[in-house]
Short mmCIF file of all heavy atoms in Angstrom, two decimals:
data_model
loop_
_atom_site.label_atom_id
_atom_site.label_comp_id
_atom_site.label_asym_id
_atom_site.label_seq_id
_atom_site.Cartn_x
_atom_site.Cartn_y
_atom_site.Cartn_z
N ALA A 39 -13.04 33.91 114.25
CA ALA A 39 -12.98 32.50 114.32
C ALA A 39 -12.06 31.94 113.21
O ALA A 39 -11.90 30.67 113.02
CB ALA A 39 -14.30 31.74 114.14
N CYS A 40 -11.40 32.75 112.45
CA CYS A 40 -10.38 32.39 111.32
C CYS A 40 -11.18 31.63 110.33
O CYS A 40 -10.70 30.60 110.00
CB CYS A 40 -9.19 31.66 111.97
SG CYS A 40 -7.80 31.61 110.73
N ALA A 41 -12.29 32.16 109.96
CA ALA A 41 -13.12 31.47 108.99
C ALA A 41 -13.59 32.43 107.73
O ALA A 41 -14.56 32.11 107.06
CB ALA A 41 -14.36 30.83 109.58
N ASP A 60 -0.75 30.14 110.57
CA ASP A 60 -0.97 28.67 110.37
C ASP A 60 -1.54 28.45 109.14
O ASP A 60 -1.94 29.39 108.32
CB ASP A 60 -1.68 28.10 111.60
CG ASP A 60 -3.10 28.57 111.68
OD1 ASP A 60 -3.62 29.15 110.66
OD2 ASP A 60 -3.77 28.43 112.75
N GLU A 61 -1.77 27.10 108.76
CA GLU A 61 -2.29 26.63 107.54
C GLU A 61 -3.76 27.36 107.26
O GLU A 61 -3.96 27.67 106.01
CB GLU A 61 -2.34 25.25 107.43
CG GLU A 61 -1.95 24.60 106.13
CD GLU A 61 -1.94 23.08 106.28
OE1 GLU A 61 -1.04 22.58 106.93
OE2 GLU A 61 -2.63 22.49 105.62
N THR A 62 -4.52 27.21 108.10
CA THR A 62 -5.90 27.71 107.97
C THR A 62 -5.99 29.30 107.65
O THR A 62 -6.55 29.67 106.65
CB THR A 62 -6.77 27.58 109.29
OG1 THR A 62 -6.49 26.36 109.81
CG2 THR A 62 -8.16 27.86 109.01
N GLU A 63 -5.18 29.96 108.24
CA GLU A 63 -4.99 31.38 108.05
C GLU A 63 -4.35 31.65 106.60
O GLU A 63 -4.93 32.45 105.81
CB GLU A 63 -4.12 32.03 109.03
CG GLU A 63 -3.98 33.65 108.76
CD GLU A 63 -3.12 34.40 109.84
OE1 GLU A 63 -2.78 33.80 110.79
OE2 GLU A 63 -2.86 35.47 109.50
N ASP A 64 -3.31 30.92 106.20
CA ASP A 64 -2.73 30.91 104.93
C ASP A 64 -3.84 30.59 103.81
O ASP A 64 -3.83 31.27 102.73
CB ASP A 64 -1.50 30.05 104.78
CG ASP A 64 -0.39 30.61 105.51
OD1 ASP A 64 -0.46 31.75 105.81
OD2 ASP A 64 0.43 29.82 105.81
N ASP A 65 -4.51 29.64 103.94
CA ASP A 65 -5.61 29.30 103.00
C ASP A 65 -6.66 30.26 102.82
O ASP A 65 -7.00 30.69 101.70
CB ASP A 65 -6.41 27.92 103.53
CG ASP A 65 -5.45 26.75 103.33
OD1 ASP A 65 -4.40 26.81 102.64
OD2 ASP A 65 -5.87 25.56 103.84
N LEU A 66 -6.98 30.92 103.82
CA LEU A 66 -8.00 32.05 103.81
C LEU A 66 -7.39 33.13 103.12
O LEU A 66 -7.95 34.01 102.31
CB LEU A 66 -8.54 32.48 105.12
CG LEU A 66 -9.55 31.45 105.64
CD1 LEU A 66 -9.75 31.70 107.28
CD2 LEU A 66 -10.81 31.61 105.13
N LEU A 67 -6.13 33.46 103.42
CA LEU A 67 -5.35 34.74 102.90
C LEU A 67 -5.38 34.60 101.39
O LEU A 67 -5.44 35.66 100.69
CB LEU A 67 -4.04 34.90 103.64
CG LEU A 67 -3.96 35.56 104.91
CD1 LEU A 67 -2.62 35.40 105.45
CD2 LEU A 67 -4.37 36.98 104.77
N LEU A 79 -4.43 37.78 108.72
CA LEU A 79 -5.83 38.09 109.40
C LEU A 79 -5.54 38.56 110.64
O LEU A 79 -4.96 38.04 111.50
CB LEU A 79 -6.58 36.76 109.30
CG LEU A 79 -6.78 36.07 107.92
CD1 LEU A 79 -7.44 34.83 108.08
CD2 LEU A 79 -7.60 36.95 107.08
#
Side-chain angles (χ1 to χ4, degrees):
C40 198
D60 65 19
E61 216 174 296
T62 315
E63 182 180 346
D64 285 343
D65 285 352
L66 284 167
L67 278 171
L79 294 178

